[in-house]
């Protein structure tokens, strides 16, 4: 996959901050008992997307779905409203995929994620470093 001249490109460059944000990737298993992704904090907001496909981005958050299983999501690249399905569990130290759907857990497929803390900087008294 490469970039060819004449196309518009946007780059969002982020770096993880302990107890605030985590970024990375995970590999799908294709099972309902899918992968666990360690973020080092309880995420309030998680954005996921398959790396090499044209499928949707998915946002899951604890405001929309405050209890596990988290099954309400938004698709920021779509004009549609809230979407239900493709479940995950949001845990104290990361999140776990609990659905075998190919848009979040296809066997061997790589997915990107960005996660932001529910209680950022809680461990150091609320002080940014």
């Amino acid at each position: 996959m490469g970039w060819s001249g004449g196309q518009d490109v946007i780059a969002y460059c982020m770096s993880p901050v302990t107890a605030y944000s985590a970024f990375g990737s995970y590999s799908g298993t294709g099972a309902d008992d899918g992968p666990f992704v360690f973020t080092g904090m309880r995420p309030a907001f998680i954005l996921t997307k398959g790396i090499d496909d044209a499928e949707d981005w998915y946002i899951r958050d604890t405001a929309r779905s405050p209890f596990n299983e988290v099954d309400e999501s938004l698709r920021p690249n779509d004009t549609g409203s809230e979407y239900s399905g493709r479940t995950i569990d949001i845990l104290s130290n990361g999140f776990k995929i609990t659905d075998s759907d190919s848009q979040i857990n296809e066997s061997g497929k790589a997915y990107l994620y960005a996660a932001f803390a529910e209680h950022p900087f809680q461990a150091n008294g609320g002080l940014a470093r």
Side-chain angles (χ1 to χ4, degrees), residues 23-26 46-51 57-58 95 110-114:
F23 308 96
S25 63
Y26 67 91
I46 302 165
L47 174 70
T48 59
K49 166 99 173 65
I51 290 177
W57 292 84
Y58 285 91
F95 62 96
Y111 297 85
L112 295 172
Y113 73 87

Side-chain angles (χ1 to χ4, degrees), residues 10 21 35 43 46 62 69 91-92 124:
I10 296 175
S21 61
I46 302 165
T62 57
E69 289 189 325
L91 307 169
S92 63
N124 67 357

Side-chain angles (χ1 to χ4, degrees), residues 93-112:
N93 59 352
F95 62 96
K96 180 165 180 54
I97 308 300
T98 57
D99 197 306
S100 61
D101 189 278
S102 65
Q103 289 194 349
I104 63 166
N105 191 20
E106 182 178 320
S107 182
K109 184 175 173 180
Y111 297 85
L112 295 172

Side-chain angles (χ1 to χ4, degrees), residues 31-88:
D32 285 339
D33 184 20
F36 165 73
V37 178
F38 178 79
T39 62
M41 45 71 179
R42 178 176 168 82
F45 172 100
I46 302 165
L47 174 70
T48 59
K49 166 99 173 65
I51 290 177
D52 291 326
D53 63 33
E55 293 182 9
D56 294 323
W57 292 84
Y58 285 91
I59 295 173
R60 292 167 187 84
D61 60 78
T62 57
R64 196 167 321 287
S65 290
F67 305 104
N68 289 328
E69 289 189 325
V70 174
D71 66 351
E72 299 294 326
S73 62
L74 296 173
R75 294 179 290 184
N77 60 299
D78 189 0
T79 59
S81 60
E82 293 180 1
Y83 181 83
S84 182
R86 298 177 178 95
T87 59
I88 69 168

